[in-house]
Amino acid sequence: MTQLASDDFERAALGANWSTISGEFAWFITGSSDATANGSDSSSNYSAIDWPDDQWAEATFSAIPIPASAGAGAGVATRCDPTNSARTYYRHLAGANGANDSCIGKLVGGSYTQLALASNQGWVNGDVVRGEAQGTDIRLLRNGTQVLSASDSAIAGGDPGLTFSTSTTGDPQFEDWAAGDFATANAPTKRSHGFKLQQMADAEDDGKFNELDVRNWWCEAFA
Amino acid sequence: MTRRWFIVPVIGTGTKGDPYRVKLSIAHSALIPSNPDGTPRFNWALCLVSAMDFAALDADVEVEPFPGVSLDDQLSSIPAAARNRIQTALINRGVDLTGIDLNSTVRDVVERVVERLDARLDHRKMQVPE
């Protein structure tokens, strides 16, 4: 699992690395420290790099809203349509502990489907909300522990981001955000170039190679 | 909390105030495949539901409960009335039950439902809090 991008929001404006999802409002920076959204459905995708289809995104709440209905809350988005020509992405939402505080949904061409829902999962300010989209496995995690998981194939790829779905009491704030892939650590691979140790001859001619034969060794470069 | 499988109607219009969703207000994970335009491919969904009490759900005539306590239960262990009810409900929804017999398990039937909805999906990836 590799982190491919992050943002601590320690500046005045969200800037060019972020785009706004079609048909929604943009997230913005408050107090030169946190990302926030205000009163309306808001989603921004991190568009500065090309993202792998299998991806995760996570953010740390510095203000957590209270969902007023199922499907409301704030969190991260995955597989946002990078062209922003259609309102298409997965929502991984959380809200302050209580009714309907955890939700996974999808927007496909602007049509909203709620895939999974749970209540009373203990969310508090300071928690890390994480969304994962790996193949058809769509997950919501709280502080690294899975809360909900759905199976869906509607959206194959796109950008990760931030998302807010009204109606809530209070607006969300996140103090940081990160996203990445599920690639495993590099496995050893066959070398395509380097040096090969060669021996010219057994200097002592005794059928054994030892320190006395070292003068007959040399390195040969290959590619 | 106990988890059980159900066939549940999909309701809603796909809008913010009325999203496509299953007709449930308790903890669940639903398998709702979409058409390219975002509309649901079917008017029903496979659901994994978590609850302390399923009485209200069992009493809802629009909801079809999967009989059996676990996915490993053989169909032969399930009362005939419950077995026949889900069989009829699934056949009416176009689920192919060819080869399913009393030695089959509830898991075998759930997998046939997933094949009907979207063969790329996996019921094992659906999870709700216990």
Side-chain angles (χ1 to χ4, degrees), chain A residues 50-134:
Chain A
D50 290 331
W51 289 91
D53 294 343
D54 288 344
Q55 59 188 243
W56 57 267
E58 63 183 28
T60 306
F61 279 109
S62 51
I64 188 166
I66 302 169
S69 60
V76 293
T78 54
R79 296 182 179 168
C80 304
D81 175 13
T83 66
N84 290 315
S85 59
R87 194 177 173 209
T88 296
Y89 64 96
Y90 286 110
R91 274 180 172 164
H92 312 254
L93 297 170
N97 183 50
N100 306 314
D101 64 4
S102 307
C103 180
I104 297 174
K106 62 176 170 182
L107 277 132
V108 178
S111 292
Y112 182 34
T113 301
Q114 188 177 284
L115 294 171
L117 183 70
S119 298
N120 304 313
Q121 293 305 300
W123 295 91
V124 295
N125 201 24
D127 279 353
V128 176
V129 55
R130 180 180 171 105
E132 297 180 347
Q134 187 173 22

Side-chain angles (χ1 to χ4, degrees), chain B residues 74-92:
Chain B
Q74 279 193 317
L75 299 187
S76 58
S77 69
I78 294 166
R83 203 169 57 221
N84 292 338
R85 176 180 169 177
I86 192 70
Q87 180 183 19
T88 302
L90 295 180
I91 289 172
N92 287 343

Side-chain angles (χ1 to χ4, degrees), chain A residues 41 71 100 106 108-118 121 136-137 146-154 165-167, chain B residues 14-16 19-21 25-39 118 120-122 125-129:
Chain A
D41 279 13
N100 306 314
K106 62 176 170 182
V108 178
S111 292
Y112 182 34
T113 301
Q114 188 177 284
L115 294 171
L117 183 70
Q121 293 305 300
T136 56
D137 195 1
Q146 185 168 302
V147 174
L148 286 171
S149 177
S151 187
D152 193 76
S153 64
S165 176
T166 58
S167 296
Chain B
T15 62
K16 161 74 183 168
Y20 296 123
R21 63 197 185 281
S25 55
I26 55 178
H28 67 269
S29 177
L31 206 155
I32 309 176
S34 298
N35 293 311
D37 65 356
T39 56
D118 184 340
R120 293 168 293 181
L121 303 185
D122 186 346
K125 304 296 188 185
M126 301 165 69
Q127 192 177 96
V128 287

